[in-house]
Amino acid sequence: MDSLTPSDLFSPSKARQQRAQAQDWAHIDTWLQYKYSGRTIPTFERNDETLKVLRELSMANERADEEKTMQERLEREALKELSERVVNEEDSRLLDALSAALTPTGAASLHALASTSIALQTSTHSPEALAHALIHHTSVSQALSNQLLHIQTLQAYLSKQQSLLRMQLQELQSNPAFSPSSTLQRQTADQVRQTKHLRAKIREYEDKLSSLQLTQQKRHRSGSSTSGIGRGADIGSAEAIAEMLEQQKGLQELRHRVEELEKEVEVFGGLPADKESARKEVGRLEVEMDKVRRKRDALFEGLVG
C-alpha cells in the first residue's frame, strides 16, 4: 500500500483514496487473521491488484458463509418440524386401506396427481387449479425464454460493436493521418505573424492612398481655378494617377492575401497551444465526426428501408 506523500496532503481526492485503501487493508487483515486462526499469515505484495483480488475473495467467502448458515438453519427447522409431527394411527390405517383398494390405474392417477401438485407447488389437488397453474408456469417459462434469447442477441450485438469501437480507437491512436503535424504550432505562429504584418502593410497603404487621393483632389481644384497649367503638370498628374492605381492594385492583392491567411488560421483557432492537447482535441473531434457519420448512414439506411 502506498503511503501518503507531501503532495497528497494538498489533494483531498488522493487523501480520501488513501484512507479508503487503508480501511480495505484493515478489513482484509482482520479477515485473514480470523481465517488462519492464530497461524502465521503468508507474506504477499501489497498493491492495488492484490487488494482488489483479496476484497473480492473476502466478499465471496462472506456470501458463502451466509448461504451455509441459512442452509443449516433451514435443515434444523425442517428436522424440528418432522420430529414434532404426530402421526395419527387411524389415518395411517385408513390411507393403507384406500391404497390397497385402488386399482393400478387409480393408483397411477393418484400418484400423477400428487406429483403434479408437488411440482407445481400448489396447495390443492383440484384438476382445474392444477391446469391453471400449469398454463401459468408454461407462459412464464416461454416469456423467460424469449427474454433470454433477446438478451443473448443484444449481448452479441454489443460485443460486436465493442470490437468495432476498439478497432477504430486503435486506428485513431496509431494512424499518423489522425495526429496533428509536429510543426503545427510553429505554422500557426508563422501565419499569425504574417497576418499581423500584412495588416500593418494594409494600414500603411491605405494611408498612402488617402494621401494620394487628397493630393489629386487639390491638384484638380487648382487646375480648374487657373487656366495656365503647363504640359509638364499634366504629365505629373498622369504619373501620380498611374502610381496610385498601381498601389491600389497592390493593396487589393494584400487584402486578398490577408483574408486567405485569416481563413487558414481560423481552422486552428479552437485548438490548444500545447501540441499534445491539440492532438487529443483533434482525436476527439475525429471520434465525434465518426459518430455523426455513422448516425447519418443509419438514418439514410432507415430512409431507404
Side-chain angles (χ1 to χ4, degrees), residues 17 20-29 31-32 44 47-63:
Q17 183 180 4
Q21 289 182 354
Q23 293 177 358
D24 291 339
W25 277 115
H27 175 73
I28 293 299
D29 292 336
W31 176 68
L32 290 175
F44 54 89
N47 50 32
D48 293 339
E49 295 181 358
T50 306
L51 177 61
K52 181 180 178 181
V53 173
L54 289 176
R55 187 165 55 239
E56 293 177 356
L57 182 61
S58 65
M59 292 174 63
N61 187 263
E62 290 176 358
R63 287 195 299 269

Side-chain angles (χ1 to χ4, degrees), residues 20-145:
Q21 289 182 354
Q23 293 177 358
D24 291 339
W25 277 115
H27 175 73
I28 293 299
D29 292 336
T30 304
W31 176 68
L32 290 175
Q33 290 176 1
Y34 171 75
K35 287 299 179 183
Y36 278 88
S37 301
R39 292 175 295 171
T40 304
I41 300 175
T43 58
F44 54 89
E45 184 178 356
R46 291 176 176 262
N47 50 32
D48 293 339
E49 295 181 358
T50 306
L51 177 61
K52 181 180 178 181
V53 173
L54 289 176
R55 187 165 55 239
E56 293 177 356
L57 182 61
S58 65
M59 292 174 63
N61 187 263
E62 290 176 358
R63 287 195 299 269
D65 291 341
E66 291 177 358
E67 293 176 358
K68 183 179 179 181
T69 303
M70 185 180 297
Q71 183 178 1
E72 291 177 352
R73 185 172 66 253
L74 291 175
E75 290 178 354
R76 288 195 300 269
E77 291 179 357
L79 183 60
K80 182 179 178 181
E81 184 179 353
L82 290 175
S83 62
E84 292 178 354
R85 181 177 298 176
V86 179
V87 181
N88 194 340
E89 296 181 357
E90 293 182 358
D91 293 341
S92 179
R93 286 196 298 270
L94 180 60
L95 182 60
D96 294 338
L98 289 174
S99 299
L102 287 175
T103 61
T105 303
S109 299
L110 181 61
H111 179 71
L113 185 63
S115 301
T116 305
S117 300
I118 295 172
L120 296 177
Q121 297 180 357
T122 57
S123 59
T124 179
H125 60 278
S126 174
E128 291 81 3
L130 293 176
H132 286 295
L134 183 60
I135 293 172
H136 174 71
H137 279 71
T138 303
S139 61
V140 170
S141 176
Q142 185 64 30
L144 292 176
S145 299

Side-chain angles (χ1 to χ4, degrees), residues 19-300:
R19 286 196 298 270
Q21 289 182 354
Q23 293 177 358
D24 291 339
W25 277 115
H27 175 73
I28 293 299
D29 292 336
T30 304
W31 176 68
L32 290 175
Q33 290 176 1
Y34 171 75
K35 287 299 179 183
Y36 278 88
S37 301
R39 292 175 295 171
T40 304
I41 300 175
T43 58
F44 54 89
E45 184 178 356
R46 291 176 176 262
N47 50 32
D48 293 339
E49 295 181 358
T50 306
L51 177 61
K52 181 180 178 181
V53 173
L54 289 176
R55 187 165 55 239
E56 293 177 356
L57 182 61
S58 65
M59 292 174 63
N61 187 263
E62 290 176 358
R63 287 195 299 269
D65 291 341
E66 291 177 358
E67 293 176 358
K68 183 179 179 181
T69 303
M70 185 180 297
Q71 183 178 1
E72 291 177 352
R73 185 172 66 253
L74 291 175
E75 290 178 354
R76 288 195 300 269
E77 291 179 357
L79 183 60
K80 182 179 178 181
E81 184 179 353
L82 290 175
S83 62
E84 292 178 354
R85 181 177 298 176
V86 179
V87 181
N88 194 340
E89 296 181 357
E90 293 182 358
D91 293 341
S92 179
R93 286 196 298 270
L94 180 60
L95 182 60
D96 294 338
L98 289 174
S99 299
L102 287 175
T103 61
T105 303
S109 299
L110 181 61
H111 179 71
L113 185 63
S115 301
T116 305
S117 300
I118 295 172
L120 296 177
Q121 297 180 357
T122 57
S123 59
T124 179
H125 60 278
S126 174
E128 291 81 3
L130 293 176
H132 286 295
L134 183 60
I135 293 172
H136 174 71
H137 279 71
T138 303
S139 61
V140 170
S141 176
Q142 185 64 30
L144 292 176
S145 299
N146 293 334
Q147 291 180 3
L148 181 60
L149 181 61
H150 177 70
I151 291 173
Q152 290 175 351
T153 305
L154 181 61
Q155 183 182 4
Y157 174 76
L158 291 177
S159 300
K160 183 178 178 181
Q161 291 297 322
Q162 184 183 12
S163 302
L164 180 61
L165 290 175
R166 288 184 181 277
M167 291 175 59
Q168 293 177 353
L169 179 60
Q170 184 178 4
E171 182 180 0
L172 289 174
Q173 293 176 348
S174 59
N175 193 347
F178 296 106
S179 60
S181 176
S182 59
T183 61
L184 176 62
Q185 187 174 1
R186 182 173 57 82
Q187 291 177 357
T188 305
D190 292 341
Q191 290 176 353
V192 172
R193 185 169 58 255
Q194 291 178 7
T195 303
K196 292 181 179 179
H197 177 70
L198 291 176
R199 283 179 178 174
K201 286 290 185 181
I202 288 175
R203 287 194 295 269
E204 180 182 354
Y205 287 135
E206 285 178 348
D207 294 338
K208 290 182 179 180
L209 180 61
S210 299
S211 177
L212 289 174
Q213 289 177 350
L214 182 60
T215 304
Q216 183 66 24
Q217 290 175 0
K218 290 180 178 180
R219 289 181 179 178
H220 182 69
R221 285 196 300 268
S222 63
S224 60
S225 61
T226 60
S227 59
I229 300 177
R231 186 176 180 183
D234 294 337
I235 294 174
S237 299
E239 291 178 352
I241 292 173
E243 183 180 0
M244 181 183 67
L245 293 176
E246 186 68 24
Q247 291 179 355
Q248 186 175 7
K249 182 179 178 181
L251 179 63
Q252 293 293 335
E253 292 178 355
L254 286 175
R255 183 178 288 109
H256 181 67
R257 176 59 178 167
V258 168
E259 291 177 355
E260 291 180 352
L261 289 175
E262 287 179 348
K263 291 180 181 179
E264 293 179 1
V265 172
E266 286 178 358
V267 176
F268 306 98
L271 293 178
D274 184 40
K275 181 177 70 175
E276 295 298 329
S277 301
R279 182 176 298 173
K280 292 180 180 179
E281 183 68 16
V282 170
R284 184 183 66 81
L285 293 176
E286 290 290 343
V287 173
E288 292 182 358
M289 182 182 68
D290 187 64
K291 290 181 179 178
V292 173
R293 187 186 296 112
R294 285 191 279 107
K295 184 177 180 181
R296 180 200 63 187
D297 294 341
L299 292 174
F300 180 75

